[in-house]
Amino acid sequence: MILSPTVLLLSLPLALAQYGGGSPAASPTTSSTSAPASTTAPSVSIQTVTVGENNQLVFNPDTITAAVGSEVEFIFFPPSHSVVQAAFDAPCQPIGNNGFYSGAFTTSSGSNANSFTITINDTNPIWIFCGFPGHCEAGLVGVINPNASQTLSLFKAAAAKVSSTTDPTFAPQGGVIGPVQAAVSASPSSSVSATPKPGSASEIKGSTLWAGLLATVVTAWGIAELMA
Ligand SMILES: *[C@@H]1O[C@H](CO)[C@@H](O)[C@H](O)[C@H]1NC(C)=O
Ligand SMILES: *[C@@H]1O[C@H](CO)[C@@H](O)[C@H](O)[C@H]1NC(C)=O
Ligand SMILES: [Cu+2]
């Protein structure tokens, strides 16, 4: 891709704004400036959420703020849990046939060797619950990117009042099931960086997102320095 310096510089603020970067020095892309973006596997930000750890019927954390392009990985504990996407005004039932669903993860001890990872495509609130009978009503609900009018406490209160939880009738979809990527011992609210397995769906998506950004930012910095 060959673009004029003007185009690259004009696109820099947009790229930075889109990825939450303020100054270039604070941008997550600094880790990749030592090598050309085109040959570097992009690092995707992953946040870990445990499901049912210590026999507690909670997602931990149950409120997640996640940037577009980042990933949220769900790690499952005994005995059996799932992650299902719901609508804000209809907790404990699938949002429709296109929402994500992890499938049921049954685990005897420790955490399941596999996890379910979703990619955040936009900043709209994403509502989640466990499809195991009774768990949603009991509080196994959560939210990614809540806002002022759609809060977890409202969703949780509504979930407590449903007559039953509806488990999806369709197969797992909308995320990647694979070996756990993040260390479970890490603080659940902390963010870790992991390089997805080559060829995985998340890697392909991450590559597309990051390659364009890195090419733009790295090149623009270079030009800016030359011109300074
Ligand atoms: C919260 O998100 C919902 C869904 O995107 C939206 O309809 C609503 O206007 C948002 N509320 C605020 C205060 O941003
Ligand atoms: C993001 O988009 C992909 C591809 O359409 C989809 O599989 C995934 O479920 C979406 N993520 C969320 C959180 O909806
Ligand atoms: Cu559950």
Side-chain angles (χ1 to χ4, degrees), residues 125-142:
I126 297 170
W127 303 94
I128 55 175
F129 69 98
C130 171
F132 194 92
H135 288 187
C136 180
E137 298 93 306
L140 228 176
V141 296

Side-chain angles (χ1 to χ4, degrees), residues 111-202:
S111 59
N112 199 288
N114 283 332
S115 63
F116 182 70
T117 301
I118 59 169
T119 296
I120 305 305
N121 303 319
D122 57 50
T123 54
N124 292 326
I126 297 170
W127 303 94
I128 55 175
F129 69 98
C130 171
F132 194 92
H135 288 187
C136 180
E137 298 93 306
L140 228 176
V141 296
V143 62
I144 301 168
N145 298 327
N147 66 27
S149 59
Q150 298 196 348
T151 66
L152 181 62
S153 54
L154 287 173
F155 187 69
K156 195 175 270 191
K161 291 181 189 151
V162 306
S163 54
S164 69
T165 291
T166 307
D167 207 25
T169 50
F170 46 83
Q173 64 183 26
V176 176
I177 295 172
V180 168
Q181 305 178 74
V184 182
S185 57
S187 165
S189 60
S190 72
S191 199
V192 298
S193 229
T195 302
K197 296 165 293 302
S200 74
S202 58

